[in-house]
Amino acid sequence: MADAQTGGANLLVTAQYVLTQDAGRTLLKDAGVAIRGDRIVELGPVEALAARYPEAERLHQPGGLIMPGLVNTHTHAAMACFRGLADDLPLMRWLEDYIFPVEATLTGEMVQASTLLSCAEMIASGTTSFCDMYLFAQEVAQAATVAGMRAWIGEVLYDFPSPNYGPPAAGLRYAEELVTAFAGHPLITGTVDPHAVYTCSPDLLKACGELAARHNALLVIHLSETEDEVRLCRERYGTTPVRHLERLGLLNERLVADHGVLLSEAEIELLAARQVKVAHCPTSNMKLASGVAPVPALLAAGVTVGLGTDGSASNNDVDLLDEMDLCAKLHKVQQLDPTVMPAPVVVDMATRGGATLLGAQDRIGSLEPGKKADLIVLDFDQPHLVPLYNIPSHLVYAARGSDVVHSVIDGRIVMRHRQLTTVDLAAIIDQVRGISRQIRKIVSG
């Protein structure tokens, strides 16, 4: 599995297995990945790679599995500072009584520190790319850059003032500046992120769509997440959220619909026809009792579906391996069918599916020559991973985020032997604990 490029490799990552996640889900044994700069040069047997690239740095994991880094298609990374703040509440009360009031007091410094904590958690549990919607997006991007993560980042836009950009009219300018500022950046891509149909007027939604089209950027929105959202949309506009966006001309290949819980069969077909992508967040949907997204039906219709954790205020972590396990089991029990959402399909959603959702399938999501060197290594020499009959099964039903021992993003080792190389974890933990003390004072009155 070599490519036609000539030249050496500066890093060899080798292990007992390599799950490439290419179109054939190729599995290599006693193999590795040769990396030059930010790209994969070659995949092949350990001995052959070692002989071909004797000067390359070695990262070897006996009994390990190399696979593409996981892609978290929907999160609010900075909400790590709200973890456990307001659990066991309905979505609207959770938002209006707790999250929105506390968010009004946030600063860029608080968001950057909290995002960096989430980045550390994501790296440590196997995520190498994430799609983020939140406030102070420039600071979110700075945190992701410091951590060395690949990220799609947007500033959440509403009809009401933001603690970041101020009045709603300034939000579109901020969003355009964000998209422009990171054009061509090796790790960060700007997106346009109206919050939802119940917090954004039709005029704002149309302006967001025009902005996304002008810059060929993703348009990311919470869509059909709860019964309350659907009811409010019907009351205001006489139709469902999906049909509302269709009327506004916003259902297209750039749209990423976060959640998509309440969808009719006709709406699923419409999403497929318009090439809309869906970010599935099973843990958040379960915890907020939003419902079960019709993911098997979406996949059957040809809709691209990725996995997301949502934020740590409604999850309460950003461990995508845990999300894979819950995704498979949730749909089995909801349909009373153990054959629904088999393990290989879920692994695809967390890798290839996420990459396709983000329009990055030519760069990430699988390990192939010429693609970006984004990969993780899991240690399968663990009691809960022995014996080994089926790798996708282990990844979905048995593996844990703590089984990830090495992580490489854009050719850079960002975690080696469980030690983060880009983040001062102790300092960030201390900083976020300080932020939590401020938040506690606000909530208590």
Side-chain angles (χ1 to χ4, degrees):
M1 298 182 69
D3 77 346
Q5 300 180 61
T6 58
N10 59 282
L11 176 63
L12 290 183
V13 184
T14 55
Q16 187 173 5
Y17 300 101
V18 178
L19 181 63
T20 67
Q21 281 298 99
D22 62 10
R25 295 179 179 143
T26 303
L27 177 66
L28 306 175
K29 190 171 182 181
D30 296 322
V33 181
I35 297 166
R36 179 171 64 248
D38 63 349
R39 301 276 177 175
I40 295 172
V41 176
E42 181 179 357
L43 289 82
V46 173
E47 292 184 3
L49 293 178
R52 191 169 296 125
Y53 307 108
E55 302 301 318
E57 179 183 1
R58 291 288 301 274
L59 191 60
H60 181 63
Q61 186 67 37
L65 168 75
I66 303 168
M67 67 176 292
L70 306 179
V71 181
N72 187 345
T73 59
H74 178 59
T75 191
H76 313 284
M79 294 185 87
C81 66
F82 300 149
R83 193 190 326 262
L85 175 66
D87 291 334
D88 308 322
L89 295 172
L91 175 62
M92 289 311 205
R93 185 181 171 200
W94 177 76
L95 283 173
E96 294 172 0
D97 293 353
Y98 290 89
I99 300 303
F100 286 161
V102 176
E103 284 180 339
T105 70
L106 289 176
T107 66
E109 182 181 10
M110 294 164 73
V111 166
Q112 186 167 346
S114 300
T115 300
L116 203 51
L117 182 67
S118 261
C119 286
E121 185 184 352
M122 283 190 275
I123 291 171
S125 55
T127 293
T128 56
S129 297
F130 67 100
C131 185
D132 194 83
M133 171 199 283
Y134 206 58
L135 303 160
F136 296 94
Q138 290 279 0
E139 282 77 6
V140 174
Q142 290 172 20
T145 302
V146 168
M149 292 196 73
R150 195 176 305 283
W152 280 254
I153 295 171
E155 178 77 16
V156 66
L157 304 174
Y158 319 93
D159 284 332
F160 47 85
S162 160
N164 179 22
Y165 54 76
L172 287 166
R173 293 195 297 272
Y174 186 95
E176 186 155 27
E177 289 169 2
L178 178 77
V179 172
T180 303
F182 290 99
H185 192 282
L187 289 173
I188 308 299
T189 302
T191 61
V192 182
D193 294 23
H195 177 260
V197 300
Y198 58 90
T199 50
C200 298
S201 68
D203 286 345
L204 177 55
L205 290 173
K206 286 190 288 187
C208 287
E210 291 165 2
L211 174 57
R214 192 159 61 245
H215 292 277
N216 194 29
L218 295 180
L219 182 67
V220 182
I221 186 171
H222 297 103
L223 188 67
S224 293
E225 182 179 0
T226 67
E227 290 183 356
D228 280 345
E229 176 189 340
V230 175
R231 176 182 54 78
L232 285 170
C233 191
R234 286 188 181 279
E235 290 173 357
R236 292 178 186 175
Y237 309 114
T239 191
T240 66
V242 170
R243 296 291 182 182
H244 182 53
L245 293 191
E246 170 72 353
R247 288 178 182 175
L248 297 175
L250 299 180
L251 295 188
N252 56 50
E253 72 283 356
R254 286 184 296 277
L255 187 69
V256 175
D258 297 329
H259 300 290
V261 173
L262 297 163
L263 301 171
S264 68
E265 290 184 14
E267 287 175 333
I268 291 171
E269 293 300 325
L270 181 58
L271 294 180
R274 298 289 186 264
Q275 300 180 59
V276 173
K277 317 299 190 298
V278 174
H280 179 39
C281 305
T283 301
S284 178
N285 296 157
M286 293 168 68
K287 187 183 177 204
L288 294 172
S290 301
V292 181
V295 172
L298 286 164
L299 293 172
V303 176
T304 295
V305 183
L307 270 179
T309 60
D310 213 342
S312 289
S314 63
N315 187 310
N316 295 33
D317 60 45
V318 287
D319 184 339
L320 207 61
L321 280 165
D322 185 47
E323 209 73 30
M324 290 162 64
D325 177 64
L326 286 170
C327 173
K329 293 174 181 174
L330 171 64
H331 295 286
K332 292 178 192 303
V333 72
Q334 195 264 343
Q335 297 198 13
L336 298 180
D337 183 354
T339 69
V340 168
M341 299 298 289
V345 170
V346 178
V347 176
D348 286 353
M349 288 171 60
T351 53
R352 297 172 59 87
T356 302
L357 179 146
L358 296 170
Q361 63 272 21
D362 61 333
R363 289 177 286 155
I364 62 173
S366 63
L367 303 180
E368 302 178 68
K371 283 197 170 185
K372 291 286 190 175
D374 289 11
L375 59 85
I376 58 175
V377 185
L378 290 86
D379 179 11
F380 270 30
D381 282 337
Q382 299 295 329
H384 58 281
L385 297 174
V386 175
L388 175 60
Y389 300 113
N390 183 289
I391 285 175
S393 170
H394 265 17
L395 290 173
V396 172
Y397 299 119
R400 305 166 183 167
S402 57
D403 296 323
V404 180
V405 287
H406 312 299
S407 180
V408 176
I409 304 175
D410 213 42
R412 179 187 186 188
I413 301 173
V414 296
M415 183 171 72
R416 185 199 304 264
H417 298 296
R418 299 284 309 157
Q419 297 298 308
L420 300 173
T421 65
T422 58
V423 177
D424 184 342
L425 187 56
I428 291 300
I429 287 174
D430 185 63
Q431 190 174 358
V432 175
R433 281 179 173 151
I435 292 169
S436 73
R437 289 191 286 272
Q438 297 177 52
I439 292 172
R440 189 184 298 274
K441 291 178 182 177
I442 294 166
V443 172
S444 61

